[in-house]
Amino acid sequence: MECWHMSGAGNTFMVFDGRDLKLDLSETAKKLCALKNADGCMALDHSECGDFRLHFYNRDGSRGEMCGNGSRCVCRFAHDHGMTADSMVIQTDSGLVLGWRLGETEYRVALNLPSVLELNRKPGCAYVELGAPGVPHAVLPMETLDMEALRPMAKALRQDAAFPKGANVNFYALDGKDYGRILTYERGVEDYTAACGTGAASVAAVLWAQGMLPEKRLRLTSQGGSLTVQLEEKERTLTGLYLDGPTEALEILDVTP
């Protein structure tokens, strides 16, 4: 079986065409992620309402609702394998996600809009769920982003009782009105990842709700690279949430599922 080791702005994934394959995807994900210490694993499948269905699993074999950078990577995988044209529709557990090829390596996805957006789920901590069922994110502003200094807080918030589904924990620091830095501790990985697309979008949604993104655009730099989130609104209602960034095929592996 051909499996691509891919990167989306530093988020790493194992990606394969799972159509017509009979696999235990949870166990397969753990096995494939261990090969390259990847953050997650994605299998493409048949879909009756999109170009393909995305099955997303975290490194520990737990199933995820969807993945922002992962969705951008599977867009490239599908395009490069002749499965789609330059625009595509992905069926995810959180709903349909639209994707576009912007260039040879640049891809955009329209993320699921927040089904939950609370600015004070805990004191100083916002909570966002993208889609329904949604990808859960805790969002906190910080003056500095010191990974080790913030690790105890990240681990505690990851399983805090305020977040019944658990949460990805996103610390951010703004360096200007529409750009800054982000650090994400992800559930299912149980550590920091080099990037998180839905995390970046959750930060953008929180800042938008606080009236802090007049241009409705946010560029966030993580350990792995930069992502741009563009927002659309109508009558102070969020109507569009778009994630742009790079994708990279790091290695093509021949694996036994």
Side-chain angles (χ1 to χ4, degrees):
M1 180 180 78
E2 181 182 278
C3 179
W4 283 28
H5 181 211
M6 301 190 72
S7 170
N11 245 165
T12 57
F13 309 98
M14 308 303 285
V15 187
F16 65 94
D17 183 353
R19 294 175 298 178
D20 304 319
L21 296 179
K22 304 299 183 183
L23 299 173
D24 181 328
L25 292 178
S26 175
E27 291 301 316
T28 300
K30 288 190 286 186
K31 176 182 176 180
L32 293 180
C33 286
L35 295 176
K36 294 294 178 180
N37 197 33
D39 299 324
C41 181
M42 296 178 289
L44 283 72
D45 201 354
H46 297 290
S47 172
E48 295 182 355
C49 56
D51 291 295
F52 55 88
R53 179 174 178 79
L54 171 61
H55 299 290
F56 176 77
Y57 286 82
N58 295 299
R59 181 191 298 171
D60 65 359
S62 60
R63 189 174 179 97
E65 295 86 357
M66 65 88 64
C67 177
N69 283 327
S71 295
R72 294 190 309 98
C73 285
V74 296
C75 285
R76 177 173 175 181
F77 180 92
H79 181 274
D80 288 0
H81 282 78
M83 297 169 60
T84 67
D86 286 353
S87 61
M88 56 211 80
V89 179
I90 311 166
Q91 180 186 355
T92 78
D93 288 1
S94 289
L96 297 180
V97 171
L98 306 182
W100 296 269
R101 181 178 187 264
L102 304 179
E104 184 176 353
T105 62
E106 293 284 319
Y107 280 79
R108 167 184 295 165
V109 291
L111 297 172
N112 307 112
L113 294 173
S115 57
V116 179
L117 177 50
E118 299 180 13
L119 297 182
N120 289 289
R121 172 63 70 94
K122 288 174 63 69
C125 178
Y127 179 69
V128 180
E129 289 192 20
L130 298 183
V135 184
H137 285 277
V139 177
L140 301 92
M142 292 289 164
E143 291 187 6
T144 60
L145 299 183
D146 184 312
M147 291 178 63
E148 294 311 312
L150 291 172
R151 187 179 293 275
M153 183 188 297
K155 293 178 71 173
L157 286 170
R158 157 67 184 88
Q159 301 189 52
D160 192 285
F163 315 122
K165 297 169 59 174
N168 301 291
V169 181
N170 304 274
F171 302 114
Y172 72 91
L174 292 181
D175 300 314
K177 68 176 183 179
D178 60 359
Y179 63 94
R181 291 161 286 123
I182 184 172
L183 183 62
T184 302
Y185 190 96
E186 290 200 44
R187 63 173 188 159
V189 176
E190 308 309 328
D191 203 347
Y192 293 111
T193 55
C196 181
T198 53
S202 294
V203 171
V206 167
L207 291 172
W208 167 82
Q210 294 172 333
M212 295 177 62
L213 289 181
E215 302 300 323
K216 301 178 185 64
R217 182 178 184 274
L218 178 66
R219 187 179 81 252
L220 288 173
T221 300
S222 64
Q223 295 170 279
S226 293
L227 293 166
T228 299
V229 181
Q230 301 183 63
L231 305 93
E232 292 177 349
E233 69 171 33
K234 184 176 182 180
E235 298 176 352
R236 285 303 299 163
T237 297
L238 189 61
T239 58
L241 194 58
Y242 301 91
L243 178 70
D244 296 5
T247 65
E248 185 178 2
L250 301 172
E251 188 176 356
I252 299 175
L253 308 172
D254 183 12
V255 300
T256 302

Coordinates of all heavy atoms in Angstrom, one line a residue, residues 11 69 124-130 135-145 150 153-155 157-158 163 166-173 181-187 191-207 218 220-222 227:
N11 N 2.4 20.4 10.7 CA 1.6 19.3 11.1 C 1.9 18.1 10.2 O 1.8 18.3 9.0 CB 0.1 19.7 11.0 CG -0.6 19.8 12.2 OD1 -1.7 20.3 12.2 ND2 -0.2 19.3 13.3
N69 N -5.3 21.4 8.9 CA -4.1 21.1 8.1 C -4.2 19.8 7.4 O -3.7 19.6 6.3 CB -2.8 21.2 9.0 CG -2.5 22.7 9.3 OD1 -2.7 23.6 8.5 ND2 -1.9 22.9 10.4
G124 N -10.5 33.9 31.7 CA -9.4 34.2 30.8 C -9.2 33.1 29.7 O -8.2 33.2 29.0
C125 N -10.1 32.2 29.5 CA -10.0 31.1 28.6 C -11.3 31.0 27.8 O -12.4 30.7 28.3 CB -9.7 29.8 29.3 SG -9.6 28.4 28.2
A126 N -11.2 31.2 26.5 CA -12.3 31.0 25.6 C -12.4 29.5 25.1 O -11.4 28.8 25.3 CB -12.2 31.9 24.3
Y127 N -13.5 29.1 24.6 CA -13.8 27.8 24.2 C -14.5 27.8 22.8 O -15.5 28.5 22.7 CB -14.6 27.0 25.2 CG -14.8 25.5 24.8 CD1 -13.8 24.6 24.7 CD2 -16.1 25.1 24.5 CE1 -14.1 23.3 24.3 CE2 -16.4 23.8 24.1 CZ -15.4 22.9 24.0 OH -15.6 21.6 23.6
V128 N -14.0 27.0 21.9 CA -14.5 27.0 20.5 C -14.7 25.5 20.1 O -13.8 24.7 20.3 CB -13.6 27.7 19.5 CG1 -14.2 27.7 18.1 CG2 -13.4 29.1 20.0
E129 N -15.8 25.2 19.4 CA -15.9 23.9 18.7 C -16.3 24.2 17.3 O -17.3 24.9 17.0 CB -17.1 23.1 19.3 CG -16.7 22.5 20.7 CD -17.7 21.4 21.1 OE1 -18.4 20.8 20.3 OE2 -17.8 21.1 22.4
L130 N -15.4 23.8 16.4 CA -15.6 24.0 15.0 C -16.4 22.8 14.4 O -15.9 21.7 14.5 CB -14.3 24.1 14.2 CG -13.4 25.3 14.6 CD1 -12.2 25.4 13.8 CD2 -14.2 26.6 14.5
V135 N -14.7 20.2 16.7 CA -13.4 20.0 17.2 C -13.2 21.0 18.3 O -13.3 22.2 18.1 CB -12.3 20.3 16.0 CG1 -10.9 20.0 16.5 CG2 -12.7 19.4 14.8
P136 N -12.9 20.5 19.5 CA -12.8 21.4 20.7 C -11.5 22.1 20.9 O -10.4 21.4 20.9 CB -13.1 20.4 21.9 CG -12.5 19.1 21.4 CD -12.7 19.1 19.9
H137 N -11.6 23.4 21.2 CA -10.3 24.2 21.4 C -10.5 25.1 22.6 O -11.5 25.9 22.6 CB -10.0 25.0 20.1 CG -9.4 24.2 19.0 ND1 -8.1 23.8 19.0 CD2 -10.0 23.6 17.9 CE1 -7.9 23.1 17.9 NE2 -9.0 23.0 17.2
A138 N -9.5 25.1 23.5 CA -9.4 26.2 24.5 C -8.4 27.2 23.9 O -7.4 26.9 23.3 CB -8.8 25.6 25.8
V139 N -8.7 28.5 24.1 CA -7.9 29.6 23.5 C -7.6 30.6 24.6 O -8.4 31.1 25.3 CB -8.7 30.3 22.4 CG1 -8.0 31.5 21.8 CG2 -9.1 29.3 21.3
L140 N -6.2 30.8 24.8 CA -5.8 31.7 25.8 C -4.7 32.6 25.3 O -3.7 32.2 24.7 CB -5.2 30.9 27.0 CG -6.0 29.9 27.7 CD1 -5.9 28.5 27.1 CD2 -5.7 29.9 29.2
P141 N -4.8 34.0 25.6 CA -3.7 34.9 25.2 C -2.6 34.8 26.2 O -2.8 34.6 27.4 CB -4.4 36.3 25.3 CG -5.5 36.1 26.3 CD -6.0 34.6 26.2
M142 N -1.4 35.0 25.7 CA -0.2 35.0 26.6 C 0.8 36.1 26.1 O 0.8 36.4 24.9 CB 0.5 33.6 26.5 CG -0.2 32.4 27.1 SD -0.3 32.6 28.9 CE -1.6 31.4 29.2
E143 N 1.5 36.6 27.1 CA 2.5 37.6 26.7 C 3.7 36.9 26.0 O 4.3 37.5 25.1 CB 3.0 38.4 28.0 CG 1.9 39.3 28.5 CD 2.4 40.1 29.7 OE1 3.6 40.1 29.9 OE2 1.6 40.8 30.3
T144 N 4.1 35.8 26.5 CA 5.2 35.0 25.9 C 4.8 33.6 25.7 O 3.9 33.1 26.4 CB 6.5 35.1 26.7 OG1 6.2 34.5 28.0 CG2 6.9 36.5 26.9
L145 N 5.4 32.9 24.7 CA 5.1 31.5 24.4 C 6.3 30.6 24.7 O 7.0 30.2 23.8 CB 4.6 31.4 23.0 CG 3.4 32.2 22.6 CD1 3.0 31.9 21.1 CD2 2.2 31.9 23.5
L150 N 4.9 26.7 29.9 CA 3.4 26.6 29.7 C 2.9 25.1 29.7 O 1.7 24.8 29.8 CB 3.0 27.2 28.4 CG 3.1 28.7 28.3 CD1 2.8 29.2 26.9 CD2 2.1 29.4 29.3
M153 N 0.4 23.9 32.4 CA -0.9 24.5 32.2 C -1.6 23.8 31.0 O -2.8 23.5 31.1 CB -0.8 26.0 31.9 CG -2.2 26.7 31.8 SD -2.1 28.4 31.2 CE -1.2 29.1 32.6
A154 N -0.9 23.6 30.0 CA -1.4 22.9 28.8 C -2.0 21.5 29.1 O -3.1 21.1 28.8 CB -0.4 22.8 27.7
K155 N -1.2 20.8 29.9 CA -1.6 19.4 30.3 C -2.8 19.4 31.2 O -3.7 18.6 31.1 CB -0.4 18.7 30.9 CG 0.8 18.4 30.0 CD 1.9 17.7 30.7 CE 1.6 16.3 31.1 NZ 2.8 15.6 31.7
L157 N -5.2 21.9 31.3 CA -6.3 22.3 30.5 C -6.8 21.3 29.6 O -8.0 21.2 29.3 CB -6.0 23.6 29.8 CG -5.9 24.9 30.7 CD1 -5.3 26.0 29.8 CD2 -7.3 25.3 31.2
R158 N -5.9 20.5 29.0 CA -6.2 19.5 28.1 C -7.4 18.6 28.5 O -8.2 18.2 27.8 CB -4.9 18.7 27.7 CG -5.1 17.3 27.2 CD -5.7 17.2 25.8 NE -5.9 15.8 25.5 CZ -7.0 15.1 25.7 NH1 -8.0 15.7 26.4 NH2 -7.1 13.9 25.3
F163 N -14.1 21.2 29.9 CA -14.2 20.8 28.5 C -14.5 19.3 28.5 O -13.7 18.4 28.5 CB -12.8 21.0 27.8 CG -12.2 22.4 28.1 CD1 -11.0 22.5 28.7 CD2 -12.9 23.5 27.8 CE1 -10.4 23.7 29.0 CE2 -12.4 24.8 28.1 CZ -11.1 24.9 28.7
G166 N -12.7 17.0 26.3 CA -11.2 17.3 26.3 C -11.1 18.5 25.3 O -12.0 18.9 24.6
A167 N -9.9 19.0 25.2 CA -9.7 20.1 24.3 C -8.2 20.2 23.9 O -7.3 19.8 24.6 CB -10.0 21.4 25.1
N168 N -8.1 20.7 22.6 CA -6.8 21.2 22.2 C -6.5 22.5 22.8 O -7.5 23.3 22.9 CB -6.8 21.3 20.6 CG -7.1 20.0 20.0 OD1 -6.3 19.1 20.0 ND2 -8.3 19.9 19.3
V169 N -5.4 22.8 23.3 CA -5.1 24.0 24.0 C -4.2 24.9 23.2 O -3.1 24.5 22.8 CB -4.4 23.7 25.4 CG1 -4.1 25.0 26.2 CG2 -5.2 22.7 26.2
N170 N -4.7 26.1 22.9 CA -4.0 27.0 22.1 C -3.6 28.3 22.8 O -4.5 29.0 23.3 CB -4.9 27.5 20.9 CG -5.4 26.3 20.1 OD1 -4.7 25.8 19.2 ND2 -6.6 25.8 20.5
F171 N -2.3 28.5 23.0 CA -1.8 29.8 23.5 C -1.4 30.7 22.3 O -0.8 30.2 21.4 CB -0.6 29.5 24.4 CG -0.8 28.5 25.5 CD1 -0.2 27.3 25.5 CD2 -1.6 28.9 26.6 CE1 -0.3 26.4 26.6 CE2 -1.8 28.0 27.6 CZ -1.2 26.8 27.6
Y172 N -1.7 31.9 22.4 CA -1.3 32.8 21.3 C -0.8 34.2 21.9 O -1.2 34.6 23.0 CB -2.5 33.1 20.4 CG -3.6 33.9 20.9 CD1 -3.6 35.3 20.7 CD2 -4.6 33.4 21.6 CE1 -4.6 36.1 21.2 CE2 -5.7 34.2 22.2 CZ -5.6 35.6 21.9 OH -6.6 36.4 22.4
A173 N 0.0 34.8 21.1 CA 0.5 36.2 21.4 C 0.4 37.0 20.1 O 1.0 36.6 19.1 CB 2.0 36.1 21.9
R181 N 1.7 34.8 17.0 CA 2.3 33.5 17.1 C 1.3 32.6 17.9 O 0.5 33.1 18.7 CB 3.6 33.6 17.8 CG 4.7 34.3 17.0 CD 5.9 34.8 17.9 NE 5.5 35.9 18.7 CZ 5.5 36.0 20.0 NH1 5.9 34.9 20.7 NH2 5.2 37.1 20.7
I182 N 1.4 31.3 17.7 CA 0.6 30.3 18.3 C 1.3 29.1 18.7 O 2.3 28.7 18.1 CB -0.6 29.9 17.3 CG1 -1.6 29.0 18.0 CG2 -0.1 29.3 16.1 CD1 -2.9 28.7 17.2
L183 N 0.9 28.5 19.8 CA 1.5 27.3 20.3 C 0.3 26.4 20.7 O -0.6 26.8 21.5 CB 2.3 27.6 21.6 CG 3.1 26.5 22.2 CD1 4.1 25.8 21.3 CD2 3.8 27.0 23.5
T184 N 0.2 25.2 20.2 CA -0.9 24.3 20.4 C -0.5 22.9 21.0 O 0.4 22.3 20.5 CB -1.7 24.0 19.1 OG1 -2.1 25.3 18.5 CG2 -2.9 23.1 19.3
Y185 N -1.2 22.6 22.1 CA -1.0 21.3 22.7 C -2.2 20.4 22.3 O -3.4 20.8 22.7 CB -0.9 21.4 24.2 CG -0.5 20.2 25.0 CD1 0.8 20.0 25.4 CD2 -1.5 19.3 25.4 CE1 1.2 18.9 26.1 CE2 -1.1 18.1 26.1 CZ 0.2 17.9 26.5 OH 0.6 16.8 27.2
E186 N -2.0 19.3 21.6 CA -3.2 18.6 21.0 C -3.5 17.3 21.7 O -2.7 16.5 22.1 CB -2.8 18.3 19.5 CG -2.8 19.5 18.6 CD -3.0 19.2 17.2 OE1 -3.9 18.4 16.8 OE2 -2.2 19.7 16.3
R187 N -4.8 17.2 21.9 CA -5.4 15.9 22.4 C -5.1 14.8 21.3 O -5.1 15.1 20.1 CB -6.9 16.0 22.6 CG -7.7 16.3 21.4 CD -9.2 16.2 21.7 NE -9.9 16.3 20.4 CZ -11.1 15.9 20.2 NH1 -11.8 15.4 21.2 NH2 -11.7 16.1 19.0
D191 N 0.8 16.2 23.3 CA 2.1 17.0 23.3 C 1.8 18.2 22.4 O 0.8 18.3 21.7 CB 3.2 16.2 22.8 CG 4.6 16.7 23.3 OD1 4.6 17.9 23.8 OD2 5.6 16.0 23.2
Y192 N 2.8 19.1 22.3 CA 2.7 20.2 21.4 C 2.9 19.6 20.0 O 3.6 18.6 19.7 CB 3.9 21.2 21.6 CG 3.7 22.0 22.9 CD1 4.6 21.7 24.0 CD2 2.7 22.9 23.1 CE1 4.5 22.5 25.1 CE2 2.6 23.6 24.3 CZ 3.5 23.4 25.3 OH 3.4 24.1 26.4
T193 N 2.2 20.2 19.0 CA 2.5 19.9 17.6 C 3.0 21.2 16.9 O 2.9 22.3 17.5 CB 1.2 19.5 16.9 OG1 0.2 20.5 17.0 CG2 0.7 18.1 17.4
A194 N 3.7 21.0 15.8 CA 4.4 22.1 15.1 C 3.4 23.1 14.5 O 3.7 24.2 14.2 CB 5.3 21.6 14.1
A195 N 2.1 22.7 14.4 CA 1.1 23.6 13.8 C -0.3 22.9 14.1 O -0.4 21.7 14.4 CB 1.3 23.8 12.3
C196 N -1.3 23.7 14.1 CA -2.7 23.2 14.2 C -3.6 24.2 13.4 O -3.8 25.3 13.8 CB -3.1 23.1 15.6 SG -4.8 22.5 15.9
G197 N -4.2 23.7 12.3 CA -5.1 24.5 11.5 C -6.4 25.0 12.2 O -6.7 26.1 12.2
T198 N -7.1 24.0 12.8 CA -8.3 24.3 13.5 C -8.0 25.2 14.7 O -8.8 26.0 15.2 CB -9.1 23.1 13.9 OG1 -8.2 22.2 14.6 CG2 -9.6 22.4 12.7
G199 N -6.8 25.0 15.3 CA -6.4 25.9 16.4 C -6.2 27.3 16.0 O -6.7 28.2 16.7
A200 N -5.5 27.5 14.9 CA -5.4 28.9 14.3 C -6.7 29.5 14.0 O -7.0 30.7 14.3 CB -4.5 28.8 13.1
A201 N -7.6 28.7 13.4 CA -9.0 29.2 13.1 C -9.8 29.6 14.4 O -10.5 30.5 14.4 CB -9.7 28.2 12.2
S202 N -9.6 28.8 15.4 CA -10.3 29.0 16.7 C -9.8 30.3 17.3 O -10.6 31.1 17.8 CB -10.1 27.9 17.6 OG -10.7 26.7 17.1
V203 N -8.5 30.6 17.3 CA -8.0 31.8 17.7 C -8.6 33.0 16.9 O -9.0 34.0 17.5 CB -6.4 31.9 17.7 CG1 -5.9 33.3 18.0 CG2 -5.8 30.9 18.6
A204 N -8.6 32.8 15.6 CA -9.2 33.9 14.8 C -10.6 34.1 15.1 O -11.1 35.3 15.1 CB -9.0 33.5 13.3
A205 N -11.4 33.1 15.3 CA -12.8 33.2 15.6 C -13.0 34.0 17.0 O -13.9 34.8 17.1 CB -13.5 31.8 15.7
V206 N -12.2 33.7 17.9 CA -12.3 34.3 19.2 C -11.9 35.8 19.1 O -12.6 36.7 19.6 CB -11.3 33.7 20.3 CG1 -11.2 34.5 21.5 CG2 -11.8 32.3 20.6
L207 N -10.8 36.1 18.4 CA -10.5 37.5 18.2 C -11.5 38.3 17.4 O -11.8 39.5 17.7 CB -9.1 37.6 17.5 CG -7.9 37.1 18.3 CD1 -6.7 37.1 17.4 CD2 -7.7 38.0 19.5
L218 N -6.1 37.0 9.8 CA -5.1 36.7 10.8 C -4.1 35.8 10.3 O -4.4 34.7 9.7 CB -5.8 36.1 12.0 CG -4.9 35.8 13.2 CD1 -4.3 37.1 13.8 CD2 -5.6 35.0 14.3
L220 N -0.9 33.6 11.6 CA -0.3 33.1 12.8 C 0.9 32.2 12.4 O 0.8 31.3 11.5 CB -1.3 32.2 13.6 CG -2.4 33.0 14.3 CD1 -3.4 32.1 14.9 CD2 -1.8 33.9 15.4
T221 N 2.0 32.4 13.1 CA 3.2 31.6 12.9 C 3.4 30.6 14.1 O 3.3 31.0 15.2 CB 4.5 32.6 12.9 OG1 4.3 33.5 11.8 CG2 5.7 31.7 12.7
S222 N 3.6 29.4 13.7 CA 3.8 28.3 14.7 C 5.3 27.8 14.5 O 6.0 28.4 13.7 CB 2.8 27.2 14.5 OG 3.0 26.6 13.2
L227 N 0.3 30.1 8.9 CA -1.0 29.9 8.4 C -1.8 31.2 8.4 O -1.6 32.0 9.2 CB -1.8 28.9 9.2 CG -1.2 27.4 9.3 CD1 -1.8 26.7 10.4 CD2 -1.5 26.7 7.9

